[in-house]
């Protein structure tokens, strides 16, 4: 029987996975106050991991609300002039929903194949970049001091490298956990209990 990465059947596994995802979001999304290192934002891949591993919408909603309050706190405390709670912000937040739902639909009910994982994660990373940055450019007056194409190219390389690196870490973590679990219990997976 093929292993799939649908949601864990037991609540403790779901809560552990959710806690790890939440911790990753907090450590990389806050204005790097919680870590001595300046880690790039891992929110997109964290939501992707949630759709892949947990699937339950209630966890998506909790994480969505947590990200909103993290951002609200950062915007309020640090008075970021370039970041505002606006229609472009909510369009950006929509990219996390897209990542969760696509991972849930196209990866979580199938055997986790490396080739399929990278095709879908690459599509999510590229599409969400264009949605997020495109909406920011088109819906904010502060971004109009350059052309659309120049604006879109500004952070593309960093965004792609960061998110592909986090996707590789996610895949490696899943595979390592599976190997460890298979040594303990043959034909079983921590993510599939």
């Amino acid at each position: 029987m093929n292993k799939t990465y649908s949601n864990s059947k037991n609540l403790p596994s779901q809560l552990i996975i959710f806690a790890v995802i939440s911790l990753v979001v907090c450590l990389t999304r806050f204005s790097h106050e919680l870590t001595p290192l300046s880690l790039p934002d891992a929110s997109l891949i964290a939501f992707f991991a949630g759709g892949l591993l947990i699937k339950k919408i209630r966890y998506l909603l909790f994480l969505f609300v947590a990200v909103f309050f993290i951002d609200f706190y950062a915007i309020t405390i640090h008075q970021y002039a370039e970041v505002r709670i606006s229609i472009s912000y909510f369009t950006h937040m929509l990219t996390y929903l897209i990542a969760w739902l696509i991972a849930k639909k196209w990866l979580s009910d199938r055997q986790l194949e490396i080739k399929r994982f990278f095709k879908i994660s690459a599509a999510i990373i590229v599409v969400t970049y264009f949605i997020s940055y495109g909406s920011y450019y088109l819906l904010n007056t502060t971004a109009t001091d350059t052309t659309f194409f120049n604006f879109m190219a500004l952070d593309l390389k960093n965004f792609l490298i960061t998110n592909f690196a986090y996707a590789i870490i996610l895949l490696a973590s899943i595979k390592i956990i599976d190997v460890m679990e298979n040594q303990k219990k043959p034909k079983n997976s921590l993510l599939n209990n």
Side-chain angles (χ1 to χ4, degrees), residues 164-178:
F164 278 115
Y166 283 135
I168 290 167
I169 292 168
L170 172 62
L171 180 63
S173 300
I174 290 170
K175 294 297 185 180
I176 289 168
I177 290 170
D178 277 350

Side-chain angles (χ1 to χ4, degrees), residues 63-80:
L63 198 56
F64 213 74
V65 168
V67 166
F68 175 79
F69 282 114
I70 289 170
D71 290 348
F72 186 75
Y73 167 79
I75 291 167
T76 304
I77 296 299
H78 298 291
Q79 298 175 347
Y80 292 130

Side-chain angles (χ1 to χ4, degrees), residues 172-187:
S173 300
I174 290 170
K175 294 297 185 180
I176 289 168
I177 290 170
D178 277 350
V179 167
M180 290 171 31
E181 280 300 308
N182 285 334
Q183 289 176 353
K184 291 180 189 174
K185 303 177 202 172
K187 297 185 180 180

